[in-house]
Amino acid sequence: MSSPSPASLLSVRINGEPVQVAVQPHHTLLEVLRYQLDLIGSKQGCDKGDCGACTVQIDGEPQLACLTLAIHAEGRDVTTVEGLATGHGGVHPLQDAFDRWDAAQCGFCTPGILMSAEALVRKTPRPVTDPEVRAALAGNLCRCTGYTKIIDAVIDASRLMHTDDETADGAGQAPTRPAAAAQ
Amino acid sequence: MLRMPRFSVQTPATIEEAVTALQSPGARVVAGGTDLLPNLKHRLEQPPVLVSLSRVEGMRAVAIDEATKMLRIGARVTLTGVSEDPLVREHFGSLAQAAGLVASPLIRNMATLGGNINLDTRCRYVNQTAFWREAIGGGCIKSEGNVCHVVPGGRNCVAAMSSDCVPVLIGLGAHVVLVGPNGRRELPIEDYYVADGTRHTTRDDGELSTEILVPLPTGPRRCHYSKWTVRGSIDFPLISVALRFELERDRIDAPITAAHVVAGVLGARPRRVTRLDDILGKALSDQGVASAVAERVHKQCKPLENVPYEAPYRRQMLRVHTRRAIEALVAAG
């Protein structure tokens, strides 16, 4: 059993890289990411679990960094929005779709929404449906978009990711933005 | 930005070590942290030490105990885990339903069933920032003051038990297992709660809840959990009702042999609705059964001004939600 100490050395993988950082026991993972590791993509919104702006993935599950004790990340795999595009040539298909669909307005909720959405599209072995996206994003508040463009973007990204699986010529090709979204 | 007060954290590796660590004065358990951390950030508690269950082996299994005919659910199973577990879904659909309705998917990925049964009581005058509470004159009997803003002159805290799983577990006759320095004890979850919002469970400070035991169904039944919230997600319930009807045969028009109705979000203790004898022997689908149960709930449950929305409105909605829940059970067949 570890004894109480003012700071302890946290060993964690962040976006695939092993990181060691001295953390205070009363600091959250979000505070360590933002203020010690300069990973400011994860946002500090309500800071009490209501808004989802701080969503990161811990061992692949979307969770709230603002309610995670930093030391609870010991030995875990943490992915933040900064690591989302790793393995996707710099831009994740979700990020690309958010751009095309104007799914980010002020952008504050976007990193958290991307992390929730990525877990959904990764775990779903086919294009996702509207109710699935709504359920998966039910913990992420957006005060700008009214959600419609976000949901459309996630569905579109998921559809394209599965098109890419089946036909090589779909890869890298800019899809046509449906007319309904162009208003 | 809400910062936490300073504390130290212990990370025991076994239940025994965790119980030993809990004997330290003022120590608090942290598992998912989704209830405790906001309360710490709001300075509702300032424990010198947190005992983290992050490294503790076990307490994460869901399994049927053939000897006792109980489903054993480890206290560290997450609410996502409870809502998606095949055994829970097969035998206790209303528990899977309640666990899947807690807050948001993000919270459910972190929060545990043990945390949900030990969820602190909530009140609109308590779950606010320290600055807010200072502005209403220095808090109340549950925070830093000595008055009650809900019941003027009241000396008993009426903060509401807002857990979604607890009314369901009471209705299902579940038991909670506690491990302390003097060993293990097991008690009906109905007796776990007391009507005092400042200390609403009978758990000793040095005890750890390790397991929840739910008796397997012995016959056909219909169960449902109904929760009314401001929004479709994230929010705590404004009212909640857990229903369980034991039936003579596995048909919606079979006679009811037993009825268990439990309402949440009233005071610190969920309320078991009584005097349901007149519906026994009738079918759930009979004309008037839904409204008869709804009237009993409305008569016996009196919400207070302790959570959002006015108490009289919430009382009316208890009747509406109970009736709709039974109608939904009938419609589902």
Side-chain angles (χ1 to χ4, degrees):
Chain A
M1 195 189 301
S2 66
S3 55
S5 60
S8 53
L9 192 66
L10 172 70
S11 297
V12 56
R13 284 181 79 84
I14 296 179
N15 298 328
E17 298 287 325
V19 171
Q20 289 203 316
V21 55
V23 299
Q24 297 281 337
H26 65 287
H27 280 179
T28 63
L29 177 61
L30 183 64
E31 286 169 323
V32 171
L33 289 172
R34 287 183 60 85
Y35 306 123
Q36 288 183 250
L37 300 173
D38 269 349
L39 291 167
I40 57 171
S42 309
K43 297 293 183 275
Q44 197 160 19
C46 70
D47 220 8
K48 57 190 181 71
D50 289 335
C51 76
C54 66
T55 305
V56 299
Q57 290 180 5
I58 302 179
D59 293 341
E61 294 293 331
Q63 301 193 10
L64 298 167
C66 78
L67 296 187
T68 303
L69 289 178
I71 62 164
H72 276 182
E74 175 68 33
R76 318 279 296 270
D77 232 312
V78 176
T79 310
T80 68
V81 72
E82 287 90 346
L84 189 65
T86 310
H88 289 276
V91 181
H92 190 278
L94 277 165
Q95 291 169 312
D96 190 43
F98 269 56
D99 181 25
R100 282 182 285 103
W101 287 80
D102 294 329
Q105 284 183 215
C106 88
F108 198 83
C109 70
T110 311
I113 290 189
L114 286 169
M115 299 319 287
S116 287
E118 196 279 334
L120 172 71
V121 298
R122 173 165 38 81
K123 290 177 183 176
T124 311
R126 49 171 172 74
V128 295
T129 64
D130 181 283
E132 286 170 344
V133 179
R134 286 171 189 267
L137 301 186
N140 296 88
L141 294 182
C142 173
R143 304 282 81 151
C144 301
T145 63
Y147 301 102
T148 307
K149 295 183 289 184
I150 292 170
I151 295 165
D152 288 345
V154 176
I155 293 171
D156 193 33
S158 159
R159 185 179 57 80
L160 282 168
M161 289 169 81
H162 287 278
T163 309
D164 290 354
D165 292 345
E166 288 151 24
T167 57
D169 61 351
Q173 194 180 321
T176 318
R177 188 176 147 174
Q183 302 164 12
Chain B
M1 180 161 163
L2 298 165
R3 309 206 71 158
M4 283 193 285
R6 284 181 175 273
F7 48 75
S8 65
V9 179
Q10 298 219 347
T11 54
T14 65
I15 290 174
E16 291 69 32
E17 284 182 8
V19 170
T20 305
L22 269 179
Q23 305 316 307
S24 161
R28 290 278 274 121
V29 175
V30 60
T34 55
D35 186 44
L36 182 64
L37 264 62
N39 288 352
L40 294 175
K41 290 183 176 195
H42 286 166
R43 299 297 190 275
L44 287 166
E45 297 189 56
Q46 304 206 21
V49 54
L50 296 188
V51 179
S52 163
L53 302 183
S54 63
R55 281 179 62 230
V56 173
E57 295 290 326
M59 294 167 68
R60 281 190 163 159
V62 181
I64 288 177
D65 188 331
E66 291 293 350
T68 56
K69 300 284 178 214
M70 298 257 200
L71 186 70
R72 305 169 64 133
I73 309 175
R76 286 186 64 213
V77 177
T78 64
L79 295 174
T80 300
V82 173
S83 68
E84 293 178 353
D85 185 86
L87 289 172
V88 176
R89 292 176 77 102
E90 180 187 346
H91 299 289
F92 306 108
S94 59
L95 179 59
Q97 188 193 2
L101 285 171
V102 174
S104 71
L106 303 165
I107 301 262
R108 296 195 292 272
N109 285 346
M110 306 167 71
T112 63
L113 184 59
N116 201 242
I117 67 166
N118 287 295
L119 186 79
D120 201 358
T121 53
R122 300 183 61 82
C123 180
R124 56 163 75 160
Y125 296 100
V126 175
N127 299 95
Q128 305 284 355
T129 60
F131 177 77
W132 190 100
R133 296 195 307 272
E134 192 188 328
I136 56 163
C140 65
I141 47 183
K142 188 168 169 63
S143 54
E144 44 289 289
N146 53 13
V147 296
C148 180
H149 301 288
V150 175
V151 182
R155 304 306 306 163
N156 181 40
C157 175
V158 292
M161 159 45 83
S162 303
S163 162
D164 288 304
C165 296
V166 165
V168 174
L169 288 168
I170 291 175
L172 294 172
H175 290 234
V176 56
V177 177
L178 301 165
V179 176
N182 303 320
R184 176 186 188 275
R185 70 182 176 115
E186 189 183 310
L187 77 162
I189 198 164
E190 188 161 8
D191 301 334
Y192 189 53
Y193 301 98
V194 288
D196 176 358
T198 61
R199 195 184 177 95
H200 67 299
T201 73
T202 53
R203 184 175 56 82
D204 289 335
D205 285 340
E207 284 184 313
L208 179 66
S209 17
T210 57
E211 251 184 328
I212 291 86
L213 312 176
V214 198
L216 291 170
T218 53
R221 58 164 63 155
R222 294 293 183 276
C223 298
H224 195 81
Y225 174 66
S226 183
K227 166 185 183 176
W228 182 41
T229 50
V230 177
R231 300 170 291 187
S233 180
I234 303 172
D235 293 330
F236 281 95
L238 299 165
I239 55 157
S240 64
V241 191
L243 302 163
R244 169 185 154 204
F245 299 99
E246 297 288 325
L247 307 179
E248 209 169 278
R249 292 183 307 282
D250 195 16
R251 291 171 55 102
I252 203 71
D253 57 2
I256 299 166
T257 55
H260 301 265
V261 178
V262 183
V265 212
L266 302 169
R269 186 172 192 236
R271 186 178 188 96
R272 180 182 276 276
V273 175
T274 58
R275 296 184 192 166
L276 294 164
D277 297 350
D278 51 345
I279 64 155
L280 301 184
K282 292 182 182 168
L284 205 51
S285 55
D286 276 0
Q287 193 92 34
V289 166
S291 49
V293 177
E295 283 310 318
R296 282 276 175 272
V297 172
H298 180 260
K299 197 169 171 62
Q300 294 176 27
C301 300
K302 297 178 178 113
L304 298 162
E305 301 285 353
N306 48 6
V307 302
Y309 285 17
E310 298 77 3
Y313 183 20
R314 288 167 53 223
R315 192 171 177 203
Q316 293 287 342
M317 291 302 275
L318 268 168
R319 173 159 54 196
V320 172
H321 274 256
T322 306
R323 180 174 50 74
R324 285 183 188 163
I326 296 173
E327 286 169 356
L329 281 176
V330 172

